Amino acid sequence: MKRSEINQAIKTAKEALDAIHFKLPYFAEWGEKEWLENISKAENIREVMLGWDVTDFGSGDFKHTGAVLFTIRNGNLYNPKAGVPYCEKVIVFDDDEKQVIPFHYHNNKTEDIINRGNGIMEIELYNSTKDGKIDYNTENVEVYMDGILYTVKAGEILEITPGNSITLTPGLYHRFGAKQHAGNLVAGEVSKINDDNLDNVFAEEQKRFSEIEEDETVLHPLCNEYDRIENLK
């Protein structure tokens, strides 16, 4: 992705968050200068990867495959002293091109994905096979939505309206994003500790973090860039 594309995506996400009066922590506004000034105090933020996360999952097609995420709280599976024993994120999707996060499941994490507002969330579910592939042979999927167990058809597009949520358990394949032309969706995630480096299993080969072409100044560093910033000292 180009840095200009990332910067614009963050600006658009901020507009969607402002529309529902969702406020981020103060460090969401830090640029590289502020990060350098606060790097010694921000070790916990760095270790548990709080902050901005803009990715196209290596697709080269951010308009259709990607999202802007901001991790507000998180911990570390391998260091119980770091952070907290849970994760909270906000995820913003562009509705113009029906932007989605591609099919994946988690080995460890159970998560609630919540429609916080400004759009309609669409989600598709499949069970996984013993070897970790999408199970296209099982007709139905069982899933909890806001505490109620439902049986839904595998691959059916479910609509989650504002204030409602769906619980995704380990091994459950899911693809979700914004319903087209319904508004730039603000989704929330509340989950067990999040490990984006090791806990995601994608149906097709994907890159969790994008390679970046530096074509303009960084607006806000991403959560996987903090080590690079420290090297600027």
Side-chain angles (χ1 to χ4, degrees):
M1 293 184 66
K2 292 184 177 181
R3 181 67 66 177
S4 56
E5 187 178 17
I6 291 170
N7 289 346
Q8 183 56 54
I10 291 175
K11 292 175 184 176
T12 301
K14 286 182 176 182
E15 292 173 358
L17 292 168
D18 285 343
I20 63 167
H21 306 288
F22 193 106
K23 301 302 181 183
L24 296 175
Y26 60 88
F27 67 87
E29 292 300 319
W30 286 358
E32 287 188 331
K33 177 179 179 291
E34 290 80 11
W35 267 102
L36 283 170
E37 291 171 350
N38 291 279
I39 199 76
S40 62
K41 298 186 292 186
E43 181 58 35
N44 187 71
I45 291 174
R46 297 169 59 203
E47 180 169 349
V48 302
M49 298 183 71
L50 305 184
W52 291 105
D53 175 6
V54 183
T55 180
D56 66 355
F57 297 94
S59 67
D61 185 14
F62 179 70
K63 288 184 177 181
H64 295 94
T65 303
V68 178
L69 307 92
F70 190 96
T71 302
I72 303 169
R73 298 168 181 86
N74 199 18
N76 187 320
L77 289 170
Y78 313 102
N79 180 7
K81 295 183 179 180
V84 294
Y86 55 88
C87 175
E88 180 184 5
K89 295 185 181 185
V90 61
I91 312 168
V92 183
F93 297 92
D94 191 327
D95 72 323
D96 282 347
E97 303 291 346
K98 200 174 179 178
Q99 191 178 45
V100 299
I101 291 177
F103 274 119
H104 66 289
Y105 70 80
H106 305 289
N107 285 313
N108 176 73
K109 184 173 71 172
T110 296
E111 58 186 348
D112 277 349
I113 304 297
I114 309 144
N115 185 335
R116 296 295 191 192
N118 210 54
I120 296 174
M121 180 167 67
E122 293 186 334
I123 187 165
E124 303 165 72
L125 306 173
Y126 284 94
N127 296 308
S128 58
T129 62
K130 291 182 178 180
D131 61 353
K133 306 298 183 182
I134 291 182
D135 183 357
Y136 290 111
N137 295 317
T138 301
E139 183 177 353
N140 295 320
V141 175
E142 289 191 340
V143 64
Y144 278 94
M145 288 184 273
D146 298 294
I148 298 175
L149 182 63
Y150 292 85
T151 300
V152 300
K153 186 174 181 180
E156 176 186 1
I157 295 179
L158 307 175
E159 290 192 355
I160 309 296
T161 53
N164 295 292
S165 67
I166 187 166
T167 299
L168 305 173
T169 50
L172 182 61
Y173 267 107
H174 49 283
R175 174 171 64 185
F176 68 101
K179 182 175 182 177
Q180 194 168 21
H181 305 319
N184 286 352
L185 172 68
V186 178
E189 175 186 323
V190 177
S191 71
K192 296 172 68 176
I193 289 173
N194 178 78
D195 185 345
D196 278 322
N197 292 304
L198 298 175
D199 195 38
N200 300 309
V201 179
F202 289 97
E204 300 179 2
E205 185 175 348
Q206 308 280 352
K207 292 181 179 179
R208 177 56 184 83
F209 299 106
S210 301
E211 295 181 5
I212 301 174
E213 178 185 337
E214 302 292 352
D215 65 331
E216 73 178 37
T217 303
V218 174
L219 177 63
H220 303 304
L222 304 184
C223 64
N224 60 319
E225 295 186 300
Y226 299 148
D227 288 345
R228 178 186 65 79
I229 292 170
E230 185 175 30
N231 291 333
L232 296 176
K233 290 191 297 184

